[in-house]
Amino acid sequence: IYEALCSPAPSLRPRYASLRTLYQPSSSSIERQVLDSSALVLYFPAPYTVTGEDVLELHIHGGPAILKAVLAAIPKAGDGLGAESRKGLHVIRYAEPGEFTRRAFYNNRLDLTQIEALGDSLSAETEQQRRLAVRGTQNALTERYIAWRSQLLYARGELEALIDFSEDQHLEESPTKLVASVTDQVNLLGEQLQTSIRNACRGELLRNGIKIALLGAPNAGKSSLMNVIVGREAAIVSGEAGTTRDVLEFDVDIGGFLCRFGDLAGLRGPRQGGSTCVQKDTTIGEVEQEGIQRAKKWISGADVVLVVLPVEPLRSESPSYKVSVSPEVVKTLSECTSEEQTIIYVVNKIDLVGQNHNGKLDMSAVEQLDTFRPAEAGDLDRIMESVTQHSKPPIFYVSCKEAQGNSSRQARGGINLLLEGLTNTFAKMTSAEGAPHGKETPFWEQSLGASERQRILIIQCQQHLDEFLLCVHDIVLAAESLRAAADCLARITGKGEAGDVEEVLGVVFEKFCVGK
């Protein structure tokens, strides 16, 4: 290709950029047409290339016409050669999707874990997704999977030696001690696999997005909060209860985290109105009822639940307010949430409490202990005690009304503080768990980049190790369980299936005195 496009230019120096003129391939030098008068050409000889094969790069000007002309000329590189000369030439064609990466794998330039990380890099949309992809390209996961597989091969080799040579009394350890040693190795490896599985699940939150449900009664301000976070009028806002009937999903980048918000139908019972004091119609129609059921289903699958609680004035002469907590909200939180989910309370409409004469939001009034009367604030304490026994969820005070106005007012009505709190929460949810006994923390951070395929294979490996512990009294079955576990790890990287028997025999003759 180089000779056809650049002849009579001199040969290329490997790994050096050379300035060349690209011509239309032709048998006659007189008829040759210039395609690009100043292109950079680089030649990378195998095997130290991205694919492990010879690579020729053409850096041309980016005009569509030049690009089209060069691509059309490349397949004609062999047209000027005779029939005998063309016999040894390969067919020039466009690469198939992923073909360069596939060739890199076949030539041992990339393994499957690195290829999956490369795919994550290409599809990354947020900063956290980019960081996650970078972790997977650093080869630490592959090295660990290979190390785990080697541990299983050594353990299996010990059991194979016990099966074949125990009667010859040539083993350095007694059969009982040997089996106990293998069992300890398997238990330790099992702990590491469990940690890796949990970290892979946390990494999936970064890769696929954190699912966030907006839960609350009608007119609590869920759609308004959604619009403020998204930064546009994404959901319809109305004083009429039950405006949102279906689940409205929006993707938002918050602090580099991909967040999948769900604006849900307001939760209320047959005799409940919205969050305002007076409602003209509290009847729930079939469409709204279906929306409530879908909302509860969406809440069950959410990673984070934002409970929106509106501020309402008390019916008294003094300007006092309460946090309105609907019984249907309490019921839904009790029935549809689990300990694995993160619950955050957002008190909305605090502009009703803290407005001064200038019309700005006074946050100090909200923080005062007597802002909400104890008798009225009991609802909030009750919901927190009934839903979360271990710790109280954080509470953020916001005003969507203020947030939609001047952005300089008190950090946009508390929205900035809410977003900062969400970012901190997401960071905790997606941080890597340390290794058992706190060892090798850097690897466990990179284990967040394990893909869904890797996680499934690690789970299968763990299952085979559990089978080993159940049948450890039967050495033959135990050895087979270790073989299956090692095969799962080999399938993660796409390497190691071949030569398994030879590796096991090598372990036997290396670690044990089996005779001369």
Side-chain angles (χ1 to χ4, degrees):
I1 293 176
Y2 171 73
E3 292 179 354
L5 297 179
C6 302
S7 180
S11 300
L12 293 173
R13 184 179 178 183
R15 293 181 171 80
Y16 278 82
S18 302
L19 187 64
R20 295 289 187 268
T21 299
L22 302 184
Y23 297 95
Q24 178 74 30
S26 175
S27 58
S28 173
S29 59
I30 300 177
E31 302 175 358
R32 302 190 74 184
Q33 179 184 0
V34 175
L35 301 177
D36 193 345
S37 60
S38 54
L40 285 180
V41 183
L42 297 93
Y43 167 60
F44 299 91
Y48 303 111
T49 66
V50 64
T51 62
E53 302 172 346
D54 291 340
V55 174
L56 178 67
E57 292 186 1
L58 304 177
H59 296 254
I60 64 176
H61 290 89
I66 296 178
L67 178 61
K68 183 178 179 180
V70 173
L71 289 177
I74 291 176
K76 303 176 183 179
D79 290 352
L81 301 176
E84 292 296 327
S85 301
R86 298 179 61 179
K87 286 184 179 180
L89 294 179
H90 295 285
V91 176
I92 301 175
R93 59 173 176 81
Y94 284 102
E96 298 176 357
E99 183 170 355
F100 285 100
T101 304
R102 184 168 64 249
R103 288 173 180 254
F105 172 72
Y106 288 148
N107 292 316
N108 295 320
R109 300 298 295 170
L110 294 174
D111 57 52
L112 291 182
T113 59
Q114 292 174 311
I115 291 174
E116 288 174 321
L118 177 60
D120 290 339
S121 298
L122 297 177
S123 61
E125 298 178 354
T126 67
E127 175 62 17
Q128 295 298 331
Q129 288 178 329
R130 183 195 65 78
R131 295 181 182 182
L132 181 70
V134 170
R135 293 189 182 104
T137 60
Q138 296 176 351
N139 207 36
L141 289 178
T142 298
E143 293 177 354
R144 178 48 59 96
Y145 295 144
I146 293 176
W148 284 345
R149 180 173 178 271
S150 298
Q151 294 179 27
L152 291 177
L153 290 176
Y154 274 99
R156 180 186 166 195
E158 292 175 348
L159 295 184
E160 295 284 358
L162 184 60
I163 295 172
D164 297 335
F165 306 108
S166 61
E167 296 181 358
D168 297 337
Q169 301 298 322
H170 291 299
L171 297 176
E172 294 179 345
E173 296 179 292
S174 66
T176 302
K177 291 184 178 180
L178 193 149
V179 172
S181 175
V182 172
T183 303
D184 291 340
Q185 296 176 43
V186 170
N187 283 326
L188 179 59
L189 179 57
E191 293 180 8
Q192 296 176 341
L193 292 178
Q194 288 291 346
T195 303
S196 183
I197 293 171
R198 290 193 294 269
N199 285 340
C201 293
R202 294 185 170 214
E204 285 297 313
L205 293 178
L206 296 174
R207 183 179 293 107
N208 299 329
I210 301 173
K211 193 174 181 181
I212 305 173
L214 294 179
L215 181 154
N219 285 348
K222 301 183 299 300
S223 297
S224 297
L225 179 61
M226 182 75 262
N227 290 340
V228 171
I229 293 176
V230 174
R232 59 185 176 87
E233 294 295 327
I236 298 175
V237 177
S238 171
E240 180 183 349
T243 303
T244 303
R245 302 296 180 90
D246 206 347
V247 178
L248 302 179
E249 300 184 31
F250 304 95
D251 291 350
V252 185
D253 183 343
I254 298 180
F257 295 91
L258 176 60
C259 302
R260 302 189 180 279
F261 278 89
D263 183 16
L264 312 178
L267 302 177
R268 61 172 177 168
R271 297 181 180 179
Q272 293 177 315
S275 63
T276 56
C277 297
V278 179
Q279 291 291 334
K280 296 180 179 180
D281 185 7
T282 59
T283 303
I284 300 179
E286 293 183 3
V287 176
E288 184 179 357
Q289 184 62 42
E290 176 63 23
I292 292 176
Q293 294 302 319
R294 293 188 181 187
K296 292 181 178 180
K297 182 179 179 180
W298 215 88
I299 293 169
S300 300
D303 303 304
V304 177
V305 179
L306 291 185
V307 184
V308 183
L309 305 172
V311 171
E312 293 184 351
L314 288 174
R315 295 181 178 179
S316 62
E317 296 181 358
S318 60
S320 300
Y321 302 87
K322 70 174 182 178
V323 176
S324 176
V325 181
S326 166
E328 191 69 19
V329 170
V330 177
K331 179 181 178 182
T332 301
L333 279 173
S334 302
E335 295 177 350
C336 301
T337 59
S338 62
E339 294 184 359
E340 288 75 21
Q341 294 173 305
T342 300
I343 299 176
I344 298 176
Y345 293 107
V346 181
V347 178
N348 186 29
K349 304 182 182 180
I350 55 172
D351 52 282
L352 297 176
V353 179
Q355 287 184 338
N356 58 22
H357 295 291
N358 295 327
K360 296 182 179 179
L361 183 63
D362 184 1
M363 296 294 291
S364 60
V366 180
E367 302 298 335
Q368 294 177 1
L369 294 178
D370 58 351
T371 299
F372 303 113
R373 292 183 176 181
E376 302 298 337
D379 287 342
L380 188 59
D381 295 334
R382 175 170 55 84
I383 187 175
M384 295 169 71
E385 292 177 0
S386 63
V387 176
T388 56
Q389 302 295 331
H390 52 286
S391 62
K392 290 186 176 181
I395 304 176
F396 293 93
Y397 303 95
V398 302
S399 170
C400 294
K401 179 179 179 181
E402 292 288 341
Q404 294 171 348
N406 191 341
S407 60
S408 63
R409 290 184 179 178
Q410 295 289 335
R412 296 175 61 217
I415 294 297
N416 288 352
L417 293 177
L418 171 62
L419 296 179
E420 181 181 348
L422 289 177
T423 302
N424 294 333
T425 299
F426 300 154
K428 294 178 181 179
M429 293 172 57
T430 58
S431 61
E433 293 187 25
H437 314 298
K439 298 179 181 178
E440 300 170 321
T441 301
F443 162 74
W444 298 111
E445 291 179 351
Q446 296 182 8
S447 66
L448 291 170
S451 66
E452 176 70 7
R453 182 189 68 88
Q454 296 173 32
R455 184 180 68 86
I456 292 175
L457 287 172
I458 294 175
I459 292 176
Q460 293 177 0
C461 178
Q462 178 67 60
Q463 292 172 346
H464 290 303
L465 295 186
D466 293 338
E467 293 174 359
F468 164 86
L469 296 175
L470 293 176
C471 63
V472 68
H473 57 280
D474 189 325
I475 304 301
V476 175
L477 293 179
E480 177 61 21
S481 296
L482 294 183
R483 183 203 64 76
D487 182 63
C488 291
L489 296 177
R491 288 161 57 193
I492 292 179
T493 61
K495 301 176 181 178
E497 295 91 344
D500 180 68
V501 176
E502 288 75 10
E503 290 185 64
V504 173
L505 292 177
V507 173
V508 172
F509 287 99
E510 176 183 343
K511 293 184 66 69
F512 302 97
C513 300
V514 295
K516 298 180 180 179

